[in-house]
Amino acid sequence: MFELSSPGRRAWSFARTDLPEWAAADLVPPEHLAPEPVALPEVSERDLVAHHTRLTHRQYSVDLGAYPLGSCTMKYNPKLADVAASLPGLARVHPAAPPSCTQGWLELLSELSRALAEVTGMAAVTLQPPAGAAGELTGLLLLRAWHASQGDTGRTKVVIPDSAHGTNPASVTLGGYEALTVASDHRGCVDLAALRAVLDDEVAGIMLTNPNTLGLFEDDIAAITAAVHEVGGLVYYDGANLNAILGVTRPGDMGFDIVHLNLHKTFAVPHGGGGPGAGPVAVTEALAPFLPGPLPARAPDGTYGWRTPARSIGRVHSWHGNALALARAYAYLLALGGDGLRRVAEIAVLNANWLRRRLGDHYDVPHDRTCMHECVVSAAGLKRRTGVRAADVAKRLLEEGFHAPTVSFPLVVEEALMIEPTETESPQTLAALADALVRIAEAASVQDHHAPRTTPVGRVDEVRAARRLVATFDARLPPTGGG
Ligand SMILES: Cc1ncc(COP(=O)(O)O)c(C=O)c1O
């Protein structure tokens, strides 16, 4: 945009104000104005639109094709949800509008909370956290508030299996606890003996990602929750992977105390590009009095208002969460209904298992048993035979017209390729994706170190990008000079 800039050209015009001059001058207090003019590109509307349209044509997106980025659930989001969220009665309401003017919004938030409580098998829900990790931190604050209410302030540790999502240990640290890592066993699940060995009265709880980052359903959930409860800890379910179990089983029925969901992975809210997301937290009856407030609530006369729980930990968002993401999720829930949600999980799991079997002759499958919504294969053998690593496979897949899977994660698998096909891809698309991955393995050569060669951006020098990152625009730099 700076290169297109021409002094005096503009893509906007302001209406003349009809305020008297003295009032217009005072409209923005001088201390809120920048002391110097800010250098911005000066372009016409025509150039502005053309520039961004060109960029979108270079972009790969969930609307364009399969995006099997494991752990992220990058699936096609039905447009129905966008239509619902752009209804003026929802989109043009200010969050500070009084309840008398926002009965519809309050009913939506209240009904969504009820539906999510039903889906998770929990008693109460907060919709405030704006992301999965924000939900995790909220969960940890709830966990702390619970222990404090019991007069139990000596607990300093939270157990994290090594197959947990990376945000879990980060949230534990941010929540003021020490993360205690427990190894997985040969099946890729929590090693029960190792877990029991670390459990004592200093443990505040466990955070369990289920299905875990290997795409596996934890085998010993009942034993895990019982063992942690036995030492007085709480059990937290990272439900960001809920698309694997929707309508089939519920964390509440498995004995969990706190659950967070990623609506931006499971419920027609786009994931990626920095949000906005929604990470609601659902809890048991015992923890409900500590939830962030205010919560939408229905009075006996049928009208809606806001209510703050008696021992609330306070707000975790300035308003009521990312409300339009919540509206999208509600539209999706209503459109699919209970049977439709179950079908989401069934097809997501079927697709992942089909891929696991299809790729098994060409890649290593470290935990070759029924997986859930994603499968983890390894390019370790391919690397030994040909020098081609998981990252090279991912870059080659871009040349084949697909988005890359997640690579080098989970950390417990060497040369990991974490593939999440999701339920929205057809059998034909899945077959084409599998064929591309098989072709890449069969023709692997050192040339692959230079992939991708057909995309608008080639392979970046990752070491230089990390060590000499230049994140600001500088037209004087040569094209390869940036990070
Ligand atoms: C299992 C799991 N937990 C937590 C998160 C964190 O969610 P967010 O990126 O919204 O903070 C993710 C993100 O994809 C996830 O996959």
Side-chain angles (χ1 to χ4, degrees):
M1 294 305 294
F2 282 95
E3 283 157 0
L4 294 175
S5 184
S6 171
R9 206 169 271 174
R10 34 178 83 157
W12 50 268
S13 61
F14 288 134
R16 284 197 66 76
T17 173
D18 55 3
L19 286 175
E21 204 168 304
W22 59 267
D26 277 357
L27 217 49
V28 182
E31 66 271 24
H32 289 186
L33 295 173
E36 299 291 334
V38 179
L40 292 173
E42 296 178 77
V43 293
S44 66
E45 179 181 324
R46 204 270 164 277
D47 286 348
L48 178 72
V49 170
H51 175 69
H52 286 283
T53 305
R54 267 194 298 275
L55 284 183
T56 60
H57 287 184
R58 292 174 162 204
Q59 192 75 3
Y60 194 87
S61 75
V62 287
D63 281 353
L64 203 58
Y67 206 128
L69 193 66
S71 185
C72 291
T73 316
M74 299 296 289
K75 65 183 184 182
Y76 175 77
N77 300 131
K79 295 299 164 221
L80 168 98
D82 288 344
V83 172
S86 39
L87 291 172
L90 294 178
R92 299 184 65 101
V93 176
H94 193 279
S100 57
C101 301
T102 54
Q103 287 295 297
W105 249 124
L106 280 157
E107 181 175 2
L108 186 157
L109 297 176
S110 173
E111 285 299 300
L112 175 62
S113 304
R114 212 164 58 88
L116 294 180
E118 181 63 30
V119 162
T120 52
M122 307 300 283
V125 172
T126 170
L127 300 171
Q128 275 186 24
E136 291 170 27
L137 180 60
T138 305
L140 284 153
L141 297 177
L142 290 166
L143 184 140
R144 179 183 291 285
W146 162 256
H147 286 304
S149 76
Q150 305 299 301
D152 191 351
T153 50
R155 296 179 186 265
T156 54
K157 298 172 185 160
V158 173
V159 179
I160 306 280
D162 64 3
S163 60
H165 191 262
T167 46
N168 290 187
S171 299
V172 164
T173 308
L174 205 57
Y177 287 103
E178 184 189 331
L180 205 58
T181 308
V182 171
S184 311
D185 60 16
H186 65 281
R187 301 162 307 153
C189 291
V190 172
D191 183 333
L192 208 49
L195 172 66
R196 289 203 169 109
V198 299
L199 289 180
D200 58 23
D201 61 6
E202 286 188 2
V203 169
I206 185 171
M207 289 181 89
L208 199 71
T209 303
N210 188 60
N212 64 29
T213 53
L214 291 163
L216 303 173
F217 195 97
E218 287 290 342
D219 281 345
D220 296 315
I221 281 187
I224 293 169
T225 54
V228 177
H229 280 152
E230 220 161 86
V231 296
L234 295 182
V235 282
Y236 181 106
Y237 188 98
D238 179 331
N241 292 332
L242 198 80
N243 54 327
I245 63 160
L246 265 182
V248 179
T249 182
R250 309 187 304 172
D253 300 336
M254 302 177 209
F256 284 87
D257 302 294
I258 309 171
V259 184
H260 93 262
L261 308 179
N262 278 30
L263 299 190
H264 48 291
K265 287 179 54 164
T266 310
F267 295 99
V269 180
H271 188 184
V281 174
V283 296
T284 55
E285 201 76 59
L287 288 164
F290 302 96
L291 280 177
L295 301 171
R298 192 169 199 183
D301 67 359
T303 60
Y304 290 90
W306 295 106
R307 175 185 67 82
T308 297
R311 310 178 73 173
S312 174
I313 59 167
R315 276 184 178 278
V316 294
H317 191 273
S318 49
W319 294 108
H320 315 300
N322 280 322
L324 292 174
L326 301 172
R328 276 187 177 82
Y330 187 56
Y332 183 74
L333 277 163
L334 287 187
L336 267 71
D339 290 344
L341 291 180
R342 187 185 174 99
R343 193 102 183 102
V344 163
E346 287 169 350
I347 300 178
V349 171
L350 181 64
N351 283 355
N353 279 285
W354 185 89
L355 269 182
R356 179 179 59 85
R357 292 296 295 269
R358 174 83 172 83
L359 298 177
D361 290 340
H362 305 272
Y363 294 87
D364 308 311
V365 186
H367 301 96
D368 201 6
R369 60 197 187 87
T370 305
C371 61
M372 299 300 289
H373 62 305
E374 58 196 355
C375 64
V376 177
V377 303
S378 160
L382 192 68
K383 181 180 147 195
R384 272 192 297 280
R385 291 193 304 279
T386 65
V388 170
R389 307 182 55 176
D392 301 319
V393 174
K395 305 283 187 197
R396 276 282 294 114
L397 199 58
L398 303 178
E399 292 180 352
E400 298 276 344
F402 293 99
H403 195 279
T406 297
V407 293
S408 311
F409 184 81
L411 301 175
V412 286
V413 171
E414 188 192 347
E415 294 297 326
L417 285 155
M418 188 184 198
I419 307 174
E420 181 173 4
T422 80
E423 77 284 358
T424 55
E425 298 308 330
S426 68
Q428 289 78 8
T429 303
L430 274 194
L433 171 65
D435 288 349
L437 282 162
V438 167
R439 260 196 316 276
I440 292 167
E442 284 178 341
S445 84
V446 286
Q447 284 307 314
D448 295 343
H449 296 154
H450 305 294
R453 289 151 293 201
T454 55
T455 48
V457 177
R459 187 175 299 212
V460 295
D461 181 339
E462 287 172 8
V463 175
R464 242 175 107 202
R467 301 238 168 103
R468 293 191 42 214
L469 178 68
V470 181
T472 53
F473 176 82
D474 187 341
R476 289 162 306 174
L477 287 174
T480 53

